């Protein structure tokens, strides 16, 4: 970690009622789990933590996306950006959401090369992988990749997938830049 985590039990750390309310909102979103290393880093700037909490809370819990679709997108972003802290938290959620073991192995590969189908993922899941990879690696998404995504998802879902990929690219860049969770030294998802 490049910055110390905020001591959430330090009475002077959050001295104003506004800051205390922000910490309470972050705790409420994380409940029943404790605050995470990411939260304890963001809370160096309570206003940023508050906006992050609201936005990421909506992306994670208030979209119409199925668990497998959301977590496939998040896991691909994590692998491409070498955000192993992110992978560590979301790979189990992808499994719980129905991604097969074979699919998880594929998601954990940095470069998928010529792989475009099969490998334990449905055509719908592959469309998410291709779209996530294009957004994360190139920002601009080619028409062919976008049209494939639209075959499987409504306009609302396309917006939600796009927001998820964009949000978790932000998350991964924050995690890696500050080495949140001390995972930068790892060489891959299985390390």
């Amino acid at each position: 970690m490049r910055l110390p985590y905020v001591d959430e039990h330090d009475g002077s750390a959050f001295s104003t009622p506004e800051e205390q309310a922000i910490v309470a909102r972050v705790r409420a979103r994380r409940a029943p789990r404790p605050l995470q290393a990411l939260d304890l880093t963001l809370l160096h700037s309570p206003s940023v933590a508050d906006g992050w909490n609201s936005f990421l809370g909506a992306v994670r819990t208030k979209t119409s996306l199925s668990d497998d679709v959301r977590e496939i997108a998040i896991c691909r972003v994590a692998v491409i950006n070498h955000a192993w802290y992110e992978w560590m938290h979301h790979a189990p959620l992808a499994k719980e959401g129905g991604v097969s073991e074979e699919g998880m192995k594929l998601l954990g590969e940095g470069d998928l090369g010529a792989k475009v189908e099969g490998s334990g993922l449905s055509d719908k899941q592959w469309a998410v992988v291709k779209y996530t990879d294009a957004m994360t690696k190139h920002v601009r998404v080619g028409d062919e990749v976008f049209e494939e995504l639209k075959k499987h998802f409504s306009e609302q879902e396309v917006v939600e997938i796009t927001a998820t990929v964009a949000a978790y690219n932000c998350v991964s860049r924050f995690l890696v830049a500050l080495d949140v969770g001390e995972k930068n030294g790892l060489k891959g998802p299985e390390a």
Side-chain angles (χ1 to χ4, degrees):
M1 182 61 198
R2 292 181 159 175
L3 295 174
Y5 298 122
V6 169
D7 180 357
E8 64 181 295
H9 303 294
D10 177 357
S12 65
F14 309 106
S15 56
T16 69
E18 182 179 335
E19 289 175 347
Q20 292 165 1
I22 289 168
V23 174
R25 284 192 290 274
V26 176
R27 279 193 180 116
R29 183 170 81 84
R30 291 293 188 192
R33 297 174 300 140
L35 293 179
Q36 305 292 297
L38 175 58
D39 305 315
L40 298 174
T41 305
L42 286 164
L43 284 167
H44 280 289
S45 174
S47 294
V48 170
D50 199 27
W52 188 288
N53 185 56
S54 178
F55 178 55
L56 270 292
V59 167
R60 282 267 295 119
T61 65
K62 296 185 190 281
T63 69
S64 64
L65 299 177
S66 62
D67 292 345
D68 66 320
V69 166
R70 181 186 60 254
E71 298 303 330
I72 284 170
I74 295 169
C75 286
R76 281 305 293 162
V77 168
V79 168
I80 293 165
N81 292 335
H82 303 264
W84 306 125
Y85 177 88
E86 190 170 64
W87 172 268
M88 179 185 74
H89 284 275
H90 288 276
L93 299 174
K95 289 179 190 176
E96 288 173 23
V99 179
S100 70
E101 284 300 321
E102 186 180 6
M104 289 305 300
K105 285 180 186 164
L106 178 115
L107 292 178
E109 293 182 30
D111 183 8
L112 297 179
K115 295 178 185 170
V116 293
E117 58 187 40
S119 298
L121 297 177
S122 68
D123 290 346
K124 184 176 184 176
Q125 291 171 329
W126 263 110
V128 175
V129 168
K130 291 177 200 174
Y131 188 71
T132 301
D133 284 20
M135 273 188 71
T136 303
K137 292 178 180 180
H138 311 294
V139 182
R140 190 168 299 207
V141 176
D143 291 340
E144 184 178 316
V145 170
F146 187 73
E147 290 305 319
E148 182 65 24
L149 189 76
K150 281 179 41 181
K151 281 188 208 174
H152 299 283
F153 297 97
S154 69
E155 290 176 351
Q156 176 180 345
E157 291 168 320
V158 168
V159 166
E160 292 171 350
I161 292 166
T162 304
T164 300
V165 173
Y168 277 87
N169 267 288
C170 174
V171 172
S172 67
R173 284 159 168 76
F174 187 90
L175 293 170
V176 173
L178 294 178
D179 195 15
V180 174
E182 297 78 40
K183 301 296 182 198
N184 281 359
L186 300 179
K187 299 298 179 204
E190 299 306 320

